[in-house]
């Protein structure tokens, strides 16, 4: 690869990562605002709104790819359910945890995060929120990253990012609808009531859904052009950025241990990037 091609590739990937960070942190903070400060206490319905935005935004921007085999469909369906569970769990945890602690659990070893949070009386600690966050922040997210990497890169089953989102979205909506009706039965009436009280309710939900779609699409693009491992490393760094921004916006309390932990994460990301560059 020539020097100019390498620079263009680096610029392209850097732009993808910056765009992914911006949309992901934006939707995270808006989710927190809606679920904890705005009175909209329906994380499952909120996730369904996110997934419903995909077919609307898609609008034939790229040619439709057809699924080639039952095996490919099963992988897409599995990714959809795991992805959906991860997002729903993350949104539920945001109702109970500050963004800073939500991201800390996602980027550190859960056992020690729980132990230190309990011992040091982490501000805003909530056991239910923590357990939900732990389930979605470890195995589900790691499995999702690997499986989406296969679907985006393998020769026999390769799908582009927009087509993958297009196939996943209806599966997620179908899976979420009965869960929403059972666990959030009053969502429609209460949302309509809230919309009468809050002038910008529908605008916020629309912006939130479009941002979520953008974040998911960029997540797939970053995976395709880097790797599942790189995505996890970058995700940890993103968590550190989200923590700083959330503290500035929501005034979340923070402890010295938290600052130290995220400093280690940032140093780890820098070391990973330098090691990867040297061994190319």
């Amino acid at each position: 690869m020539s020097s100019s091609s390498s620079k263009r590739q680096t610029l392209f990937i850097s732009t993808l990562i910056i765009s992914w960070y911006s949309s992901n942190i934006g939707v995270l903070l808006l989710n927190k605002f809606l679920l904890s400060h705005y009175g909209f206490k329906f994380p499952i319905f909120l996730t369904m709104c996110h997934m419903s935005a995909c077919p609307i935004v898609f609008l034939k921007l790229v040619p439709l790819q057809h699924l080639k085999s039952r095996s490919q469909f099963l992988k897409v369906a599995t990714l959809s359910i795991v992805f959906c569970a991860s997002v729903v769990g993350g949104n539920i945890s945001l109702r109970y945890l500050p963004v800073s602690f939500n991201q800390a659990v996602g980027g550190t070893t859960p056992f020690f995060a729980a132990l230190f949070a309990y011992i040091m009386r982490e501000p805003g600690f909530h056991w239910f929120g923590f357990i939900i966050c732990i389930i979605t922040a470890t195995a589900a997210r790691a499995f999702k990253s690997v499986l989406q990497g296969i679907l985006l890169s393998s020769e026999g089953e390769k799908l582009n990012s927009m087509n993958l989102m297009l196939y996943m979205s209806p599966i997620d909506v179908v899976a979420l609808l009965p869960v929403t009706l059972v666990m959030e039965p009053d969502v429609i009436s209460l949302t309509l009531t809230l919309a009468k009280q809050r002038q910008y309710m529908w605008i916020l939900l629309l912006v939130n859904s479009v941002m979520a779609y953008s974040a998911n699409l960029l997540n797939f693009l970053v995976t395709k052009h880097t790797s599942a491992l790189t995505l996890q490393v970058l995700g940890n760094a993103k968590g550190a950025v989200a923590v700083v921004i959330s503290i500035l916006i929501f005034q979340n309390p923070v402890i010295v241990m938290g600052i130290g932990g995220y400093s280690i994460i940032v140093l780890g990301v820098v070391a990973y990037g330098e090691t990867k560059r040297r061994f190319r």
Side-chain angles (χ1 to χ4, degrees):
M1 183 182 291
S2 66
S3 176
S4 60
S5 297
S6 178
K7 288 181 179 178
R8 283 197 299 269
Q9 179 72 1
T10 300
L11 178 61
F12 174 70
I13 293 176
S14 298
T15 303
L16 275 182
I17 292 171
I18 292 170
S19 301
W20 176 50
Y21 270 36
S22 301
S23 59
N24 201 293
I25 292 172
V27 77
L28 174 69
L29 297 177
L30 188 50
N31 283 350
K32 179 63 178 177
F33 175 72
L34 285 168
L35 293 168
S36 296
H37 300 272
Y38 200 76
F40 186 82
K41 302 184 182 299
F42 306 108
I44 302 174
F45 179 73
L46 184 62
T47 307
M48 193 168 73
C49 290
H50 293 172
M51 303 314 299
S52 300
C54 177
I56 299 171
V57 177
F58 186 76
L59 294 176
K60 297 288 184 182
L61 294 177
V62 296
L64 179 65
Q65 293 176 286
H66 296 287
L67 297 180
K68 299 176 182 178
S69 64
R70 182 183 178 187
S71 172
Q72 188 181 26
F73 170 76
L74 289 175
K75 287 178 182 176
V76 171
T78 301
L79 177 60
S80 301
I81 298 302
V82 174
F83 178 82
C84 185
S86 175
V87 175
V88 169
N91 287 341
I92 291 175
S93 72
L94 282 174
R95 279 194 59 189
Y96 301 95
L97 300 176
V99 173
S100 54
F101 191 59
N102 171 282
Q103 293 298 293
V105 175
T108 57
T109 305
F111 172 77
F112 289 104
L115 180 63
F116 292 144
Y118 184 76
I119 293 175
M120 301 298 294
R121 298 186 181 277
E122 171 76 29
F125 181 82
H126 190 287
W127 271 112
F128 178 74
F130 170 76
I131 291 169
I132 292 294
C133 190
I134 232 184
I135 292 171
T136 61
T138 52
R141 290 181 187 175
F143 180 69
K144 174 182 73 70
S145 298
V146 173
L147 187 53
Q148 74 188 28
I150 293 172
L151 286 167
L152 291 167
S153 304
S154 65
E155 287 302 321
E157 299 178 334
K158 185 186 295 184
L159 291 168
N160 65 50
S161 301
M162 293 191 76
N163 273 278
L164 181 55
M165 280 298 298
L166 185 65
Y167 280 115
M168 286 175 57
S169 296
I171 298 173
D172 285 331
V173 172
V174 169
L176 285 170
L177 183 57
V179 179
T180 302
L181 294 175
V182 171
M183 299 187 68
E184 299 172 348
D186 300 327
V187 60
I188 301 299
S189 60
L190 293 179
T191 298
L192 291 174
T193 301
L194 186 62
K196 293 178 181 178
Q197 301 169 355
R198 306 278 192 170
Q199 184 178 0
Y200 300 107
M201 178 72 198
W202 299 118
I203 295 176
L204 286 175
L205 279 179
L206 177 62
V207 171
N208 183 253
S209 298
V210 173
M211 286 177 62
Y213 168 77
S214 300
N216 295 334
L217 179 62
L218 288 163
N219 178 287
F220 291 156
L221 287 170
V222 172
T223 304
K224 179 179 179 179
H225 291 281
T226 57
S227 68
L229 176 59
T230 300
L231 184 76
Q232 294 302 309
V233 174
L234 291 172
N236 287 344
K238 172 182 62 62
V241 177
V243 166
V244 173
I245 296 175
S246 72
I247 290 171
L248 294 175
I249 294 176
F250 297 116
Q251 301 296 310
N252 298 144
V254 64
I255 58 176
V256 175
M257 184 179 292
I259 296 173
Y262 271 107
S263 298
I264 293 172
I265 287 175
V266 172
L267 291 174
V269 171
V270 173
Y272 174 81
E274 182 64 20
T275 301
K276 192 171 182 179
R277 185 186 66 79
R278 289 185 179 183
F279 284 91
R280 278 180 180 173

